Amino acid sequence: MDKTELGAFLRSRRDRLRPEDIGVPAGPRRRTTGLRREEVAVLAHISTEYYVRLEQGRAPKPSGEVLAGIADALRLTEAEADHMHLLAGTLPTRLSQHRRDVRRSILSLLDRLPQIAAFVMSAAFEVLAWNDLAAALLEDAMGPTPNGRNLARRTFLGSPPPDASRYGLADTRQFHHFVVMELRSALARYPSDPLITGLINELREGSAEFVRLWERHDVQATPMLTKTFRHSVVGDITVDCDSLKLVDRDQHLVLYTAVPGSSDAEALALLNVLGKERISLTGRD
């Protein structure tokens, strides 16, 4: 049970609700912007004292029934409720460390998708495997750099500082939010994984933007269904983005495709040719 994170998460969700959300008039003398602790306790059918201790990180481990009541009181989404249970230690974690080895069948699949930019990403946003088109589309994101092949690190700690063209993405703000929410969920699943905790500490120390988003305590990431890449050779390319969960290893197979016959599809086809030429001249990294 991570009492500190649980308390911070509960406070952040309580602050986001308004009295009118639960049918309570705000009143002119109300100082609290969100709900009061006693209001949440009443809605959750628990004592105010116990709820206060939960937010302060001083309460014993809550039961599943208590957490269910709090989830209803705070109007939590399914993802937020799952995150709260993980923090409270009432859901099993998978492993002490996240998996970084990619199944052989997935590696083979990447090479059988020549018209699709595809790569495998770990729970810590490390690119573990990719095909030629993905390397050509994301340009230097697959190459050996001081920040490695970690998309979270490259996004927030890249040099020059992150902007609208960080490793080609034109919609960086949405990606920033997505990265932070996914890393928070990963930390709840692997609280003792040194790679994940070290990455988050590094990002907190090196990026004010990461800290700002981290302190929002959001956990339900909105899927990015399309992305626009600003490529140095072929210009802007808008692609459909599909992320398939590889449940057994807590990894994602990310697929970028374009509408057949579109200018974006033509640009991807050109990149595919250029990528193969680069590989034949330099070899795979």
Side-chain angles (χ1 to χ4, degrees), residues 77-111:
T77 65
E78 182 177 351
E80 289 171 334
D82 286 347
H83 183 69
M84 179 182 64
H85 277 274
L86 281 171
L87 294 176
T90 57
L91 288 181
T93 56
R94 293 182 177 87
L95 295 168
S96 61
Q97 297 185 17
H98 70 290
R99 296 283 294 267
R100 299 174 66 242
D101 55 317
V102 181
R103 286 206 315 265
R104 182 178 303 175
S105 60
I106 298 299
L107 293 174
S108 177
L109 177 63
L110 292 177
D111 290 332

Side-chain angles (χ1 to χ4, degrees), residues 216-264:
R216 289 169 55 94
H217 287 270
D218 292 338
V219 295
Q220 187 171 26
T222 302
M224 298 184 69
L225 302 180
T226 63
K227 289 186 181 181
T228 299
F229 290 89
R230 189 158 296 144
H231 199 275
S232 61
V233 177
V234 298
D236 286 3
I237 308 176
T238 298
V239 295
D240 294 325
C241 177
D242 292 288
S243 181
L244 309 180
K245 186 69 174 288
L246 307 178
V247 178
D248 64 316
R249 307 201 179 189
D250 200 6
Q251 297 167 357
H252 281 88
L253 173 61
V254 182
L255 307 172
Y256 293 145
T257 58
V259 177
S262 65
S263 59
D264 298 307

Side-chain angles (χ1 to χ4, degrees), residues 156-226:
F156 286 99
L157 303 179
S159 179
D163 57 22
S165 61
R166 182 71 257 161
Y167 71 79
L169 268 180
D171 43 9
T172 313
R173 285 187 177 181
Q174 185 183 2
F175 188 65
H176 280 186
H177 207 190
F178 176 80
V179 169
V180 173
M181 286 188 283
E182 287 293 303
L183 283 180
R184 182 173 289 284
S185 296
L187 180 62
R189 296 194 301 276
Y190 308 101
S192 61
D193 188 326
L195 289 178
I196 290 179
T197 57
L199 173 64
I200 291 172
N201 289 336
E202 184 181 352
L203 295 175
R204 287 176 63 89
E205 292 174 1
S207 171
E209 173 70 1
F210 182 87
V211 172
R212 183 185 71 82
L213 293 172
W214 185 261
E215 291 178 349
R216 289 169 55 94
H217 287 270
D218 292 338
V219 295
Q220 187 171 26
T222 302
M224 298 184 69
L225 302 180
T226 63

Side-chain angles (χ1 to χ4, degrees), residues 119-132:
F119 61 91
V120 177
M121 186 174 65
S122 75
F125 280 88
E126 180 183 2
V127 178
L128 304 173
W130 60 93
N131 63 9
D132 295 344

